[in-house]
């Protein structure tokens, strides 16, 4: 039996990873460590909470004593680290929160793993989940590869870049067996409605304006979240130690084109006349330091591990919209309370 710690498993991507590991690997004992910040929600994983091979632990990775005791107690064989502050806009208003969780929190996990694995690294693995934003911004051409130099522009991406460097440093200095993946923009069920796609789905449902930053020409490479979870499973089991793998959707969209597509699809689903939701589009003040374009070259994980996205963007977006429409209660719950204060501050 393997004991695996997954951090951030009550969040968007983490919940899909936890579900996959709990249901696919009954012989593994899965521990989900999450602080349940505004982005963590146990409703995301309610369907698996009774599983015999699953344990939820509420706790903060910034608390070194707590993390050390947890590792001593459970003697994990593997760590899949997703817990993070993840929203670029929030990193602009509160950068220190990102240093604490993304840098110090990662350091605490690295130190705890190094300590309990001191006798032997055999069969152990520290998997650090990172982002393509560490590479900075592309111009109108080119793709991020695993050897693209780091050039982060936001406090969020700087904190993720820093944590990536520490993970690599622990590999080089202490021999810690690690893998890192840098993934492009995810979308799908359970996505918190502060990010572009779920925010705009929620605003279309509730007839609120759709705040497009700047001229809307910024470009992102979108990947369905379950395909990210599949890639994480593959890299965790088949990836090579001390290697980095880029994960992407082969799926670039200019924001404004994506927003218009979403409007058309939502009009059809909601039985509204075509063109209704597009009238909600409002161009607003740009994000400071806004990266123009992200696009991943995912050929390494494709050729070495055989991964590629399993759904088209068309299919993934349909499934995502259907999920949000079928889960309006979930949306209402996560947009009540604190959310409205955040929204007011960000968009007023
Ligand atoms: P999210 O914000 O939805 O979830 C983060 C989770 O971490 C939440 O459940 C939260 O409660 C938990 N958490 C936050 N601070 C914590 C702390 N101090 N201690 C313990 N738990 C804490 O994030 P996400 O979008 O699911 O992203 C997960 C990971 O994937 C992050 O590391 C992010 O950088 C990375 N990533 C995200 C994307 C994306 O498009 N969302 C793309 C590439 C990589
Ligand atoms: O690339 C991977 C990254 O993708 C992850 O590491 C981050 O955790 C995740 O949040 C995401 O970052 P982005 O900044 O690209 O995602 P976001 O959904 O915030 O924004 C996508 C694009 O849409 C970006 O160009 C900004 C724009 N945008 C966003 C919001 C929230 C708007 O135009 N209006 C908005 O209200």
């Amino acid at each position: 039996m393997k004991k695996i710690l997954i951090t951030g498993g009550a969040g968007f991507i983490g919940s899909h990873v936890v579900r996959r590991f709990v249901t696919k690997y009954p012989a593994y004992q899965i521990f989900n460590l999450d602080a349940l910040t505004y982005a963590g929600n146990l409703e995301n994983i309610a369907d698996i909470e009774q599983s015999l091979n699953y344990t939820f632990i509420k706790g903060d990775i910034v608390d070194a004593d707590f993390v050390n005791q947890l590792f001593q107690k459970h003697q994990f064989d593997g760590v899949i680290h997703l817990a993070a502050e993840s929203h670029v806009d929030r990193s602009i208003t509160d950068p220190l929160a990102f240093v604490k969780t993304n840098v110090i929190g990662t350091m605490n996990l690295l130190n705890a793993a190094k300590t309990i694995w001191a006798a032997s690294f055999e069969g152990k693995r520290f998997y650090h989940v990172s982002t393509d934003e560490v590479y900075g911004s592309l111009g109108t051409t080119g793709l991020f590869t695993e050897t693209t130099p780091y050039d982060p522009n936001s406090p969020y991406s700087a904190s993720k870049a820093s944590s990536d460097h520490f993970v690599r440093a622990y590999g080089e200095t202490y021999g810690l067996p690690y893998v890192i993946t840098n993934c492009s923009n995810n979308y799908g069920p359970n996505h918190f409605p502060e990010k572009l796609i779920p925010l705009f789905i929620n605003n279309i449902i509730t007839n609120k304006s759709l705040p497009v930053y700047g001229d809307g020409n910024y470009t992102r490479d979108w990947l369905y979240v379950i395909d990210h979870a599949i890639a994480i499973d593959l890299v965790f089991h088949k990836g090579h130690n001390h290697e980095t793998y880029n994960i992407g959707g082969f799926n670039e969209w200019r924001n404004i084109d994506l927003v218009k597509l979403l409007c058309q699809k939502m009009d059809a689903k909601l039985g509204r006349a075509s063109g209704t939701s597009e009238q909600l589009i409002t161009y607003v003040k740009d994000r400071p330091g806004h990266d123009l374009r992200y696009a991943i070259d995912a050929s390494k994980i494709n050729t070495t591990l055989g991964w590629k996205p399993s759904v088209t963007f068309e299919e993934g977006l349909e499934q995502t919209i259907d999920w949000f429409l079928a889960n309006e209660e979930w949306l209402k719950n996560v947009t009540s309370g604190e959310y409205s204060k955040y929204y007011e501050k960000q968009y007023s």
Side-chain angles (χ1 to χ4, degrees):
M1 174 172 282
K2 274 194 176 184
K3 286 183 166 190
I4 298 171
L5 175 71
I6 300 180
T7 69
F12 167 47
I13 302 170
S15 62
H16 291 278
V17 174
V18 164
R19 177 174 301 102
R20 185 173 179 86
F21 274 73
V22 166
T23 53
K24 194 172 166 209
Y25 303 107
Y28 291 178
Q29 193 66 37
I30 304 299
F31 295 82
N32 174 10
L33 169 61
D34 198 297
L36 299 180
T37 67
Y38 78 92
N41 183 354
L42 290 176
E43 272 185 60
N44 292 348
I45 32 167
D47 55 321
I48 52 106
E49 72 185 355
Q50 300 299 336
S51 304
L52 293 176
N53 63 337
Y54 173 72
T55 307
F56 176 74
I57 301 156
K58 184 172 186 296
D60 188 343
I61 58 169
V62 179
D63 181 344
D65 290 341
F66 162 76
V67 170
N68 287 332
Q69 282 165 23
L70 192 73
F71 275 69
Q72 288 296 346
K73 178 172 175 197
H74 295 292
Q75 299 289 315
F76 304 117
D77 300 297
V79 177
I80 305 177
H81 174 37
L82 295 109
E85 289 292 340
S86 68
H87 191 37
V88 173
D89 292 329
R90 289 184 193 254
S91 82
I92 295 166
T93 48
D94 185 10
L96 201 54
F98 285 68
V99 176
K100 286 180 184 154
T101 288
N102 300 359
V103 185
I104 309 285
T106 303
M107 287 295 294
N108 288 339
L109 295 167
L110 287 168
N111 284 332
K114 176 168 93 59
T115 304
I116 64 155
W117 297 342
S120 166
F121 286 135
E122 189 60 37
K124 312 297 186 216
R125 172 153 281 184
F126 191 101
Y127 185 147
H128 180 61
V129 175
S130 192
T131 171
D132 61 357
E133 299 201 11
V134 298
Y135 299 123
S137 183
L138 290 164
T140 48
T141 58
L143 298 170
F144 295 134
T145 71
E146 288 79 1
T147 55
T148 302
Y150 275 32
D151 188 18
N153 292 313
S154 73
Y156 163 67
S157 53
S159 68
K160 291 296 291 187
S162 170
S163 63
D164 292 13
H165 289 320
F166 275 112
V167 174
R168 270 193 201 99
Y170 271 55
E172 290 301 314
T173 308
Y174 309 111
L176 189 89
Y178 75 85
V179 281
I180 299 177
T181 49
N182 296 85
C183 188
S184 64
N185 288 61
N186 285 212
Y187 69 97
N190 308 97
H191 205 178
F192 193 80
E194 62 185 351
K195 312 278 166 63
L196 182 74
I197 290 181
L199 175 76
F200 281 29
I201 289 176
N202 187 40
N203 285 13
I204 292 170
I205 294 173
T206 52
N207 268 309
K208 278 164 77 176
S209 70
L210 305 177
V212 173
Y213 294 160
D215 60 7
N217 283 324
Y218 298 92
T219 299
R220 298 291 182 265
D221 171 1
W222 294 93
L223 176 70
Y224 193 51
V225 64
I226 292 172
D227 279 325
H228 190 185
I230 292 170
I232 288 174
D233 180 354
L234 196 62
V235 172
F236 183 74
H237 289 101
K238 302 264 165 60
H240 290 262
N241 279 337
H242 296 202
E243 291 273 337
T244 291
Y245 299 86
N246 280 356
I247 305 171
F250 303 96
N251 179 40
E252 282 184 58
W253 283 82
R254 276 194 322 149
N255 289 345
I256 191 62
D257 297 333
L258 169 54
V259 169
K260 287 185 177 165
L261 175 71
L262 196 57
C263 287
Q264 284 161 19
K265 288 193 174 294
M266 290 294 290
D267 282 346
K269 296 272 181 195
L270 294 168
R272 294 178 184 168
S274 173
T276 308
S277 299
E278 273 196 31
Q279 291 171 24
L280 297 170
I281 294 175
T282 316
Y283 291 91
V284 300
K285 191 158 75 73
D286 211 347
R287 171 185 280 175
H290 199 164
D291 287 331
L292 176 67
R293 177 172 162 259
Y294 305 143
I296 282 277
D297 175 353
S299 51
K300 178 176 173 182
I301 187 170
N302 177 247
T303 53
T304 60
L305 302 180
W307 176 89
K308 63 178 190 328
S310 70
V311 295
T312 63
F313 189 50
E314 195 68 17
E315 291 163 342
L317 202 55
E318 284 281 323
Q319 287 171 28
T320 302
I321 294 171
D322 289 345
W323 186 87
F324 277 98
L325 291 176
N327 289 276
E328 285 197 42
E329 205 52 39
W330 180 94
L331 256 181
K332 281 202 188 104
N333 289 344
V334 300
T335 53
S336 63
E338 270 302 305
Y339 181 85
S340 49
K341 281 192 211 141
Y342 162 76
Y343 198 91
E344 191 54 35
K345 202 167 147 206
Q346 178 66 22
Y347 294 103
S348 64

